[in-house]
Amino acid sequence: MNIKHVASKLLTTTFAIALLVGCSSNNQKSEDYEVFVDMIRDYAMEPESPDGIIHSRAATTEERKSEYKVIYVDAQFASYWCEDWTYTGGAHGNTIIHVGTLDRKTGKKITLDDLLSKDQQNELAKELRQKANEILAKKEQQLFSFVTDAQLLTNNFCLKDDGCWHFIYNPYDIAPYSAGVVDVAISK
């Protein structure tokens, strides 16, 4: 496998992940997503390379499943869960989960800055790190060594029926793919 092919595969994977960062509100594939799928199909149909070797190609088929639901409602907040699974070739598909909580009076998505001071966020980061390590230890996994407090203080959080704030980390956010989605619950 030559360096150009490796670079192309990395670019394709990175672009696929970037396109899946947002969830459409109407469960429709975005125009960018369709362009990406067409790009993969074109790449897969290229003739053999100048070195005479037919290198493995990106997937010629793609699969995507999406689920969107409201998971919590009270007088003040409404939380949602948006889950996309996609397979565009390679060893496995990928799940991306986006969650959030809306202020029912304003319709605005709640962020950590809306709820906590910087000092409180620093304390929260310590608690998130401790609980994430406990969850991952049960899975015989561990946090990536380069995970910063800023990465742990994600705005990908929501309220659930257990009354806790849940911080959702997708595969590769803070741990290897094999750790799966990491859901860290913090009491209100």
Side-chain angles (χ1 to χ4, degrees), residues 43-163:
Y43 176 71
M45 301 306 261
E46 286 180 6
E48 64 185 43
S49 64
D51 62 5
I53 300 171
I54 299 176
H55 299 280
S56 62
R57 299 293 190 203
T60 57
T61 61
E62 52 92 14
E63 195 175 335
R64 182 177 182 193
K65 297 174 187 167
S66 300
E67 180 181 356
Y68 312 99
K69 57 187 172 182
V70 174
I71 58 171
Y72 178 84
V73 177
D74 67 14
Q76 187 177 7
F77 299 116
S79 292
Y80 61 89
W81 181 279
C82 174
E83 184 171 342
D84 273 322
W85 178 87
T86 189
Y87 177 79
T88 57
H92 53 74
N94 200 25
T95 298
I96 304 289
I97 297 174
H98 296 280
V99 298
T101 298
L102 305 175
D103 181 314
R104 292 189 63 198
K105 291 179 183 159
T106 66
K108 180 182 171 228
K109 182 178 177 184
I110 303 297
T111 67
L112 286 176
D113 289 337
D114 297 327
L115 298 172
L116 303 172
S117 70
K118 290 298 178 195
D119 287 341
Q120 289 171 319
Q121 288 182 37
N122 291 336
E123 290 302 312
L124 174 62
K126 291 175 189 173
E127 188 175 0
L128 288 168
R129 184 175 298 277
Q130 177 189 349
K131 288 190 175 196
N133 278 323
E134 290 170 7
I135 291 166
L136 290 168
K138 290 177 186 172
K139 297 179 179 187
E140 297 183 2
Q141 299 285 342
Q142 59 187 4
L143 283 172
F144 287 138
S145 60
F146 53 81
V147 171
T148 65
D149 286 352
Q151 288 170 293
L152 292 170
L153 292 172
T154 179
N155 278 314
N156 199 36
F157 67 90
C158 63
L159 277 170
K160 287 188 179 179
D161 286 335
D162 61 3

Side-chain angles (χ1 to χ4, degrees), residues 1-17 36 39-40 43 55-60 87-91:
M1 197 179 298
N2 65 30
I3 207 75
K4 182 180 175 186
H5 180 71
V6 171
S8 177
K9 297 254 322 163
L10 285 171
L11 178 62
T12 301
T13 302
T14 302
F15 188 55
I17 291 168
F36 172 68
M39 181 184 80
I40 287 201
Y43 176 71
H55 299 280
S56 62
R57 299 293 190 203
T60 57
Y87 177 79
T88 57

